[in-house]
């Protein structure tokens, strides 16, 4: 396999190399390299999020959804209608 490198990023993968612009180079790689990987001259690095990063983002997303629902409920407890609370915050509760 060959990886086409431009500005230290993999931009293409081919079984064989073909002629490219002088600012690009073909380098040998294994078949696990994907377009978008970084290349530092000797090592390919994935830019895909790790399982931990994915779990952290999901936790943040769930916390935000909980905070939005709680804030909306507090506005309703203060006497606002749902339409008024939505107008203030943009939050629309799910049915």
């Amino acid at each position: 396999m060959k990886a086409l490198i431009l500005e230290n990023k993999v931009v293409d993968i081919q079984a064989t190399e073909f002629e490219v612009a002088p600012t690009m180079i073909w380098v040998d790689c294994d078949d696990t390299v994907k377009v978008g990987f970084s290349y530092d001259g000797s090592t390919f690095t994935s830019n895909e999020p790790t399982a931990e990063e994915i779990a952290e983002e999901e936790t943040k997303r769930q916390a935000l959804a909980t905070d939005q629902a709680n804030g909306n409920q507090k506005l309703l407890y203060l006497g606002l209608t749902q339409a008024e609370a939505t107008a203030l915050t943009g939050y629309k509760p799910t049915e």
Side-chain angles (χ1 to χ4, degrees):
M1 297 286 300
K2 296 282 186 175
L4 183 60
I5 309 299
L6 174 65
E7 297 177 358
N8 295 331
K9 296 280 186 205
V10 176
V11 294
D12 196 8
I13 306 283
Q14 297 288 327
T16 60
E17 66 182 83
F18 57 90
E19 185 125 355
V20 295
T23 58
M24 298 178 162
I25 59 169
W26 284 103
V27 296
D28 290 319
C29 67
D30 60 35
D31 59 0
T32 61
V33 174
K34 298 179 185 175
V35 170
F37 276 28
S38 295
Y39 181 68
D40 65 6
S42 63
T43 306
F44 291 96
T45 306
S46 172
N47 297 323
E48 296 176 359
T50 64
E52 293 84 19
E53 292 169 333
I54 293 169
E56 183 179 322
E57 286 302 313
E58 178 62 20
T59 300
K60 286 179 184 178
R61 190 194 63 74
Q62 289 175 351
L64 177 62
T66 299
D67 290 345
Q68 288 174 329
N70 289 342
N72 182 73
Q73 190 60 51
K74 288 178 183 178
L75 290 173
L76 298 179
Y77 286 149
L78 289 172
L80 276 68
T81 65
Q82 183 59 63
E84 292 168 330
T86 298
L88 284 173
T89 65
Y91 174 77
K92 295 179 185 175
T94 56
E95 300 299 324

